[in-house]
Amino acid sequence: MPAIAFFPWIRLSAPMSFGDMQLVPYAPEGSWSDDLRRVLGAYKHGVGQPLQHATLLQIAGSVEPEIGDSELDQIAQLREALCFAGLHRREFFNFKGYVNAHTFQCIVQNFQRGTIGVGVTARRRDGSTSNFWFDEREVPCPAHVSPHSSLLVDEAIVAALLRRCAAAGDWLRDGIELFNLANTDSPDVRPHTELLLAVASVQRLIGLEKKSDAHELSARFADLLDLAVRSARREGINDRPGLASKEARRVWFEDFYASRGVVAHGRPSGKPRATWSIVEHLLLASYVIPRLVLVRLQEFGDYQLTQTDRDEIAAFDYLLAEPKLFEPEERSNGAQHWPWREALSKAHDAVWHERAVLAFAEALGADGED
């Protein structure tokens, strides 16, 4: 039976290829079959508005292929890698183009040519249940998802994730799936549950397979980031209580891990007197975990960190030093100023200042040699 695999809520500007799978932009006015147009026509946004854009998955040159278990596994891996790479590019406190994991929902729909009707199988705790609609069925966009979000991903990162997952990368496959589950923005998932998922993701991704304590895990976490930012300028790490005598990233990770421990032992409100709140931990983890994965991919030779990657990793220290991540400041013109974006701006200025000084010193040295 033919099938259609598609991402209803993301918009693609140009095709992307990953092996024998290709992502293809969809618009209703294209030269698609009536069956494909009918299946995608069931997906609505706003007040029942039909989709104007979506992304199709073409397999071995066909957008209506036969899809078996092997293809389903490939599609699932691509979806997780694509989602992870999309969350890596997400900008916080910038309200254009925001995405979450549910933005990357992937539908695989079997169909019979020329036949109206949709069958759906759903999980139950005691097994599963199936339903069939003999007429048209509407599927609304979830309220916490922005339809037609532009797909912004680095193809090199998606390819590196797929390559490492295929090469005995269970740790990576598990880690990115846990991270994606922690970033749905679904109202049905509480922040303390997301915290458990985020910490589990880091534990799987940092490469310590045996049981480890918080100090060992935090040391490994800090060491991995140091591989990318040893020469980066760091300042302002004493702005939060408790950071004067310890390296900031280790302190953050240990607070992150301790908060998870309290939640796991039955206290959803989290750790009393934590340096960072649960929502602050989730925000910081959502920024640093994708960049941590790039460092690990470089370890395996699947990816080469760019200068932008290194700068963004170095900026994490500035984010840790910001005491009020969620409290905007009002400017004299009435505009809101977000501390998160200010911290990133400071990090950017410091890095470029350092480069300018080094370039100037090198130029002086070259002149002296003449």
Side-chain angles (χ1 to χ4, degrees):
M1 180 179 293
I4 300 168
F6 60 99
F7 298 81
W9 317 126
I10 53 178
R11 178 178 182 174
L12 190 66
S13 59
M16 294 182 181
S17 294
F18 305 99
D20 63 351
M21 294 185 291
Q22 186 177 44
L23 298 173
V24 180
Y26 167 82
E29 62 272 13
S31 56
W32 313 108
S33 71
D34 291 340
D35 292 312
L36 188 150
R37 210 186 307 271
R38 181 173 62 251
V39 170
L40 270 73
Y43 290 79
K44 311 289 185 180
H45 70 93
V47 286
Q49 298 298 312
L51 294 179
Q52 296 304 308
H53 301 278
T55 296
L56 298 173
L57 184 56
Q58 183 174 280
I59 302 176
S62 175
V63 293
E64 299 178 10
E66 300 279 339
I67 295 179
D69 290 342
S70 176
E71 289 80 13
L72 283 173
D73 186 59
Q74 285 183 289
I75 292 170
Q77 289 188 38
L78 176 60
R79 186 264 168 193
E80 296 296 340
L82 197 69
C83 178
F84 190 86
L87 295 175
H88 165 258
R89 288 288 302 272
R90 177 173 51 173
E91 292 187 20
F92 299 110
F93 303 100
N94 182 356
F95 298 98
K96 292 182 180 179
Y98 179 85
V99 296
N100 56 45
H102 280 175
T103 305
F104 295 86
Q105 181 184 18
C106 183
I107 307 296
V108 180
Q109 180 65 63
N110 294 327
F111 67 95
Q112 292 183 348
R113 299 193 186 281
T115 301
I116 296 176
V118 177
V120 176
T121 299
R123 286 193 308 134
R124 290 170 42 130
R125 186 55 60 209
D126 57 359
S128 63
T129 183
S130 297
N131 293 290
F132 191 87
W133 285 264
F134 288 96
D135 52 9
E136 297 288 355
R137 170 177 175 257
E138 290 193 358
V139 182
C141 178
H144 60 284
V145 170
S146 298
H148 302 160
S149 296
S150 295
L151 179 57
L152 298 175
V153 300
D154 187 324
E155 290 183 63
I157 292 176
V158 178
L161 292 169
L162 292 173
R163 190 162 52 246
R164 178 45 43 190
C165 284
D170 288 346
W171 62 271
L172 179 59
R173 191 159 38 244
D174 294 343
I176 65 175
E177 181 177 342
L178 287 164
F179 177 79
N180 292 343
L181 288 170
N183 283 275
T184 65
D185 292 336
S186 170
D188 297 325
V189 183
R190 297 283 302 280
H192 64 267
T193 302
E194 295 175 327
L195 182 70
L196 295 174
L197 291 166
V199 174
S201 171
V202 178
Q203 286 183 274
R204 197 72 173 103
L205 291 169
I206 62 179
L208 290 178
E209 296 299 328
K210 62 183 179 65
K211 185 176 180 181
S212 305
D213 62 21
H215 297 296
E216 186 177 5
L217 289 167
S218 67
R220 171 67 170 158
F221 172 79
D223 287 345
L224 283 170
L225 296 189
D226 271 345
L227 294 174
V229 298
R230 279 177 185 151
S231 63
R233 178 184 175 190
R234 303 189 185 107
E235 59 183 31
I237 65 170
N238 296 332
D239 292 345
R240 279 184 181 267
L243 297 194
S245 61
K246 284 191 176 182
E247 200 272 340
R249 279 172 269 127
R250 290 195 62 173
V251 174
W252 174 76
F253 187 91
E254 290 182 16
D255 196 66
F256 179 51
Y257 191 77
S259 295
R260 164 262 182 202
V262 171
V263 170
H265 287 90
R267 296 178 64 177
S269 58
K271 174 188 170 188
R273 298 179 299 281
T275 305
W276 288 268
S277 68
I278 288 178
V279 293
E280 288 176 325
H281 275 310
L282 290 172
L283 176 61
L284 291 162
S286 295
Y287 177 88
V288 77
I289 291 175
R291 290 157 179 89
L292 179 73
V293 167
L294 298 186
V295 177
R296 293 233 63 207
L297 289 173
Q298 178 168 268
E299 281 188 320
F300 286 93
D302 293 298
Y303 181 78
Q304 184 64 44
L305 290 172
T306 66
Q307 190 58 58
T308 297
D309 294 331
R310 295 178 186 279
D311 293 348
E312 290 176 351
I313 293 169
F316 186 59
D317 289 355
Y318 287 79
L319 297 173
L320 294 181
E322 176 52 55
K324 296 180 180 180
L325 292 172
F326 284 93
E327 295 183 23
E329 299 175 1
E330 291 287 341
R331 293 291 174 86
S332 57
N333 61 0
Q336 286 187 326
H337 174 71
W338 293 96
W340 179 273
R341 298 188 65 80
E342 176 67 16
L344 292 178
S345 178
K346 287 179 181 177
H348 177 272
D349 291 345
V351 166
W352 283 100
H353 174 75
E354 181 179 342
R355 286 192 195 142
V357 169
L358 289 173
F360 182 68
E362 288 175 359
L364 286 178
D367 290 342
E369 291 174 3
D370 293 339

